[in-house]
Amino acid sequence: MKLFILPYIQGSQSAKALAFGLPTKRLKLRNSKFRHRPNRLVINWGSTSFHPRVDYSRVLNHPSAVALCTNKIATFRELNHHNIPTLDWTTEQATAHRWIENGNRVYCRTLTRSHSGRGIVVAVTPDQIVDAPLYTKAFDTDKEYRVHVVRGSVIDYSQKKRCNGANANPAIRSHDHGWIFARGDVELPNGATEIAIRTISEFGLDFGAVDLLVSRDGTIVVCEVNTAVGLTGTTLNKYIEAFKNVANSWCA
């Protein structure tokens, strides 16, 4: 089975790295000459759009499943629908006010299609709440993990840690605020593997990376599902190996 990459944007660096490592080709999003044949399997790297030359019976990650992950409200609704633990969230500003009155910090998410903490306004008093389509209540996070799943198996994981020498923001744990996902001496807490695998399955995905928050008492919640994560080093190699195994299994 020959693999091809369908990137969500033509310039995706991770899609390029995958294509180089497999090795294979990326589909052009415009003026494509690709022809889908029985021996071709397409890896959909984060695209929510339907490519006119792709047979979606032979695609890893259907665009409709990917779409659930690109909108945070849709993600939270899907998690709730399948009884997967997630953050407390609301689209009602009045509920956000009540959370603050009860002593909680609130994240006003002005963007529902963003990453790296963009569009977040942190509110600790009622007057700091801004108009937003989504609000989440602060979770007592002790540790955060990213768990990579391909076809029902965990292939890699890492833990979010402070960058060396960075003035990390404890309220917004993103790369731009001094945090990175690091490996080495990292062990997943009990239940994390099962939650990550179940999340990818219930979303109808073939692969993805699940971001998990863990509290000091061991409570685990899902905060995000990613279908086109940044890939470098060991994680890139793990995906290359996993996708080759998938292609071989389709040939069997």
Side-chain angles (χ1 to χ4, degrees), residues 4-135:
F4 290 82
I5 309 291
L6 172 61
Y8 70 98
I9 56 171
Q10 207 68 57
S12 168
Q13 294 302 309
S14 292
K16 288 181 180 180
L18 275 174
F20 180 81
L22 280 167
T24 189
K25 296 180 179 179
R26 290 170 297 134
L27 274 61
K28 290 183 178 180
L29 301 182
R30 294 183 179 180
N31 302 319
S32 174
K33 296 181 180 179
F34 176 76
R35 291 289 186 276
H36 216 143
R37 295 171 183 167
N39 67 334
R40 293 182 172 182
L41 181 62
V42 175
I43 300 167
N44 177 17
W45 196 251
S47 178
T48 61
S49 302
F50 286 81
H51 193 284
R53 293 183 177 273
V54 169
D55 173 4
Y56 282 89
S57 67
R58 290 183 173 271
V59 169
L60 299 180
N61 280 2
H62 195 278
S64 60
V66 173
L68 291 174
C69 309
T70 60
N71 182 294
K72 286 182 169 54
I73 294 176
T75 296
F76 289 140
R77 283 177 175 157
E78 192 71 9
L79 290 168
N80 288 160
H81 176 70
H82 294 290
N83 295 314
I84 297 171
T86 188
L87 299 170
D88 289 333
W89 65 281
T90 183
T91 58
E92 301 294 331
Q93 193 173 115
T95 301
H97 274 277
R98 286 197 295 273
W99 286 342
I100 285 183
E101 290 166 1
N102 290 330
N104 298 288
R105 185 168 66 245
V106 168
Y107 292 86
C108 310
R109 298 177 179 268
T110 62
L111 302 173
T112 60
R113 300 176 186 272
S114 64
H115 56 84
S116 304
R118 295 184 180 92
I120 292 179
V121 176
V122 182
V124 295
T125 60
D127 60 289
Q128 293 177 330
I129 292 180
V130 300
D131 289 335
L134 175 64
Y135 303 91

Side-chain angles (χ1 to χ4, degrees), residues 144-162:
E144 181 174 348
Y145 300 87
R146 174 165 287 174
V147 184
H148 302 270
V149 178
V150 177
R151 297 300 288 269
S153 297
V154 170
I155 64 165
D156 196 21
Y157 56 85
S158 55
Q159 182 180 342
K160 187 165 282 189
K161 298 183 178 181
R162 297 172 187 265

